[in-house]
Amino acid sequence: MQGKKLWGSALCLFLAVTVILSGCKTSETVSQESKRPTATASNEVVNPPGVLPITKEKTTLKVMSRTNPNVENFATNEFTKWLEEKTNIHIEWDIANDPKQKLNISLASGDYPDVYLGFNIDQVQLALYGKDGVFIPLNKLIDKYGTETKKMFAALPYTKELSASTDGNIYGLPAVNECFHCMHSNKMWINKKWLEAVGMQMPTTTDEFYQVLKAFKEKDPNGNKKADELPLVGANIANSYIDTFLLQAFIDSDRNMQFLKDGKINVAFTQPEYKEGLKYINKLYKEGLIDPQSFTQDRNQIRKLGENPDAVLLGAVAAQNPTVFNLLEGTRWKDYVAVPPLKGPKGVQASKYIPQGITSGAFVITNKAKNPEIALRLADFLYSEEATNRGVLGRPDMEWKIAGANDVGINGKPAKYTLLGNSSPGAKNATWGQVGPSLRTNEWRLGQTADPKNPLEDILYKETLTKYEPYKTDPKKMIPTLNFTNEQTDELANIGKTIDDYRKESTARMIIGDMDIDKKWDEYLKNMENMKLPRYLKIYQQAYDALKK
């Protein structure tokens, strides 16, 4: 018996040594290693940190990216070509027209890329797939190769804090965009020429807004003697949801539709005020003041409406900025001005406020990457000022140039760069259109030369400062960044998706009248309860209470 044990031990030792020497692995070892690729002690393919090119020989990286209307073709893109010359990395592209669907399908099927670029994956999903080993932890790679990333973390500590999951691992690198006007991204834009045409002032209340929309519908403000005006338009894209802007006149909540009151976390979408807001929006819809396409159309479709060649069709539009629905190279967008947060029937008047300029999960490396060091170094290079300028602004002395000694920035300080404004209409294909990582600080953004011929950033800064900033949520009422255990993260992900899908579907149905608000409200609340909303709130409350101890 003792001999068998010794023989068994010797056999295990022999197999272990054989595995190490031959590179063969047991199924369990393969499973574990496929989950957690890590940097090797020395990688002969990758040059030292900070040294270009990144790889000594041409290397291919499989990247899945979301589409962008300002990028004609990622493969032939000028920034892509420049990046390959600088880094020696050739990108094999897979472009997603529906990023959320493509992300979920690729993860579920196991057919995913080396890198997800620009998907802006939230922390719950990052932690979930990080724990499962699909998204690899980047901490050690950053320590070894993250020259620019470490500089960013040191200069802007919140970028590191908000990138880390509850287990301390960073599973996705962020896009940093300390965009002042983006901190109030849920805006409404209105055609000032149409206001003049119907003889009305800028609306300040929900009732005045209703009256303006009626006038847009009935008084032919575009002057073509056709009933083709679309008084209110939105889209099924971030910051273009009509209900998000209008509901802030009924109940104030954060970007996740949560709010804090008397130390208790709750959600806006089960409150009586939310119901009243939906009834107001339903009234607009029933009277033909909202374009039905607003709940389904994408960015390209709303821009086609905005650039309709026969006549101006859009009255008021929910969007972060007017170039969402108009071409920057055109002139129509200059006719739109921001509508301040409307005051509701009970005096509520608020602007959704995002205090930090960071988007999580802009660059995520999966366990399919054979050399994750290469992918990390590519992401790290994108944070450099040189890459940020090229990737966001375009080619030096073609789309932009270094500012002159006497040029003044948007913030009134000496300017850093000047946009030349000579891009061709439509898809520019000179940049990545703000897809993926970059480092755009407030200093960088407001360092743009103020130019009357290209005033978009100047307008956005001033409109936000004067019209939205005064109505931002009191920081004391905002829910801080909370820490959750892995188990809580899993549970929140499952419950949250079910609730959010149902809320969006029900909200849209109630607005268009397919679901009677008064008759079905109690049933809607009951379904939320059955979907474990109380449990969802309890997890958040526990995390908040733990933070306060």
Side-chain angles (χ1 to χ4, degrees):
M1 190 69 180
Q2 183 68 23
K4 287 183 179 181
K5 287 182 180 180
L6 290 172
W7 167 248
S9 298
L11 179 61
C12 288
L13 178 60
F14 171 79
L15 289 174
V17 171
T18 302
V19 165
I20 293 171
L21 294 176
S22 67
C24 297
K25 300 171 179 67
T26 65
S27 60
E28 181 179 354
T29 304
V30 170
S31 174
Q32 292 299 319
E33 291 194 1
S34 67
K35 286 184 177 182
R36 301 277 174 159
T38 56
T40 55
S42 61
N43 192 316
E44 296 180 357
V45 178
V46 186
N47 276 320
V51 175
L52 292 175
I54 290 173
T55 58
K56 298 172 184 178
E57 298 179 356
K58 189 77 72 178
T59 306
T60 297
L61 201 61
K62 294 182 179 180
V63 175
M64 186 183 289
S65 171
R66 65 177 173 87
T67 188
N68 185 283
N70 289 324
V71 180
E72 186 179 85
N73 187 318
F74 276 96
T76 62
N77 185 269
E78 294 294 335
F79 179 58
T80 301
K81 291 190 287 186
W82 176 83
L83 203 60
E84 182 169 336
E85 291 174 4
K86 296 287 286 188
T87 65
N88 230 1
I89 297 171
H90 172 73
I91 296 177
E92 185 178 303
W93 294 97
D94 183 0
I95 306 302
N97 292 316
D98 187 338
K100 187 174 182 181
Q101 183 183 50
K102 182 99 174 184
L103 173 67
N104 292 333
I105 289 175
S106 62
L107 288 172
S109 67
D111 184 19
Y112 48 82
D114 299 332
V115 170
Y116 285 107
L117 178 77
F119 278 76
N120 304 336
I121 303 170
D122 64 42
Q123 281 297 343
V124 172
Q125 201 166 16
L126 285 174
L128 185 65
Y129 284 95
K131 187 190 71 169
D132 289 345
V134 175
F135 301 158
I136 70 168
L138 307 178
N139 305 52
K140 291 182 179 179
L141 290 168
I142 292 170
D143 286 344
K144 184 170 183 179
Y145 294 102
T147 305
E148 299 294 334
T149 307
K150 287 185 286 189
K151 288 180 186 176
M152 177 181 71
F153 285 169
L156 305 170
Y158 75 85
T159 60
K160 182 177 183 180
E161 177 187 340
L162 296 180
S163 296
S165 292
T166 53
D167 61 3
N169 284 319
I170 294 173
Y171 296 109
L173 286 168
V176 178
N177 183 11
E178 291 187 321
C179 164
F180 179 73
H181 71 82
C182 301
M183 295 183 185
H184 296 274
S185 54
N186 295 108
K187 294 181 174 69
M188 182 71 70
W189 299 88
I190 197 164
N191 192 313
K192 61 184 178 183
K193 287 188 176 180
W194 282 24
L195 282 176
E196 293 170 4
V198 300
M200 301 183 78
Q201 301 295 316
M202 173 70 74
T204 60
T205 67
T206 50
D207 184 60
E208 289 176 3
F209 188 64
Y210 164 72
Q211 296 298 336
V212 165
L213 297 181
K214 281 194 67 175
F216 283 174
K217 179 180 174 63
E218 298 167 358
K219 296 186 177 181
D220 190 32
N222 66 8
N224 67 350
K225 298 182 180 179
K226 295 180 182 179
D228 56 357
E229 288 85 358
L230 301 174
L232 177 57
V233 180
N236 188 30
I237 57 176
N239 307 314
S240 288
Y241 303 116
I242 287 173
D243 54 295
T244 302
F245 178 84
L246 294 178
L247 286 167
Q248 286 293 107
F250 293 84
I251 183 167
D252 186 12
S253 63
D254 67 18
R255 65 187 303 184
N256 298 314
M257 303 206 77
Q258 297 176 336
F259 65 93
L260 186 64
K261 184 177 181 181
D262 299 327
K264 299 297 180 184
I265 294 176
N266 214 324
V267 289
F269 50 83
T270 59
Q271 307 305 310
E273 296 87 349
Y274 188 87
K275 176 183 176 183
E276 293 306 308
L278 291 179
K279 292 172 77 171
Y280 168 78
I281 304 173
N282 171 247
K283 174 185 174 182
L284 302 182
Y285 187 88
K286 285 193 298 185
E287 296 191 24
L289 305 180
I290 297 177
D291 176 28
Q293 298 177 79
S294 298
F295 304 98
T296 57
Q297 67 186 345
D298 60 22
R299 188 184 296 265
N300 292 323
Q301 290 169 315
I302 194 173
R303 187 171 281 182
K304 284 182 180 179
L305 288 177
E307 291 296 320
N308 176 63
D310 299 323
V312 176
L313 301 180
L314 309 184
V317 190
Q320 184 193 66
N321 73 79
T323 64
V324 170
F325 53 90
N326 281 148
L327 290 173
L328 175 62
E329 295 80 7
T331 59
R332 285 187 180 180
W333 69 268
K334 297 178 182 179
D335 293 333
Y336 290 85
V337 293
V339 180
L342 299 171
K343 183 180 289 187
K346 294 184 179 180
V348 177
Q349 189 174 19
S351 173
K352 282 194 186 298
Y353 176 64
I354 305 169
Q356 300 288 6
I358 181 173
T359 304
S360 67
F363 195 102
V364 177
I365 305 172
T366 76
N367 58 16
K368 293 289 182 74
K370 294 178 181 177
N371 281 289
E373 301 91 341
I374 295 173
L376 189 282
R377 278 215 57 197
L378 176 63
D380 184 71
F381 180 59
L382 292 174
Y383 289 128
S384 69
E385 184 173 354
E386 183 183 16
T388 292
N389 288 344
R390 288 294 297 247
V392 177
L393 302 179
R395 296 161 292 183
D397 299 321
M398 295 184 72
E399 283 79 35
W400 66 281
K401 67 178 182 179
I402 296 173
N406 298 322
D407 290 335
V408 178
I410 293 170
N411 55 8
K413 298 178 181 180
K416 293 180 176 295
Y417 58 90
T418 302
L419 299 183
L420 298 178
N422 55 2
S423 302
S424 59
K428 299 179 183 126
N429 218 39
T431 74
W432 279 1
Q434 301 186 39
V435 172
S438 60
L439 180 54
R440 290 170 282 164
T441 62
N442 257 321
E443 182 184 10
W444 183 89
R445 288 193 63 103
L446 299 178
Q448 176 184 318
T449 301
D451 181 4
K453 295 180 181 179
N454 189 17
L456 177 62
E457 285 293 326
D458 190 41
I459 289 171
L460 292 174
Y461 175 70
K462 290 174 180 175
E463 290 282 75
T464 303
L465 181 67
T466 59
K467 295 180 178 179
Y468 292 90
E469 183 74 3
Y471 300 102
K472 71 179 182 182
T473 304
D474 182 345
K476 294 179 181 178
K477 296 180 181 179
M478 295 179 66
I479 300 168
T481 302
L482 302 177
N483 295 317
F484 301 100
T485 65
N486 288 334
E487 291 74 18
Q488 287 174 326
T489 299
D490 289 352
E491 195 170 358
L492 286 174
N494 294 327
I495 298 175
K497 185 180 187 310
T498 303
I499 288 173
D500 197 48
D501 288 347
Y502 178 67
R503 178 193 65 78
K504 289 178 179 176
E505 178 191 353
S506 299
T507 294
R509 289 181 62 195
M510 284 188 257
I511 288 173
I512 67 175
D514 184 49
M515 182 175 173
D516 188 282
I517 298 173
D518 285 321
K519 292 180 180 178
K520 295 292 185 178
W521 185 254
D522 288 342
E523 180 182 321
Y524 165 78
L525 295 181
K526 185 65 177 177
N527 287 338
M528 283 290 181
E529 187 176 336
N530 293 337
M531 291 174 183
K532 301 183 179 179
L533 177 59
R535 172 61 184 165
Y536 184 85
L537 290 172
K538 184 177 180 180
I539 295 173
Y540 264 92
Q541 191 66 48
Q542 288 173 341
Y544 177 73
D545 292 341
L547 186 68
K548 292 300 175 182
K549 288 181 179 178

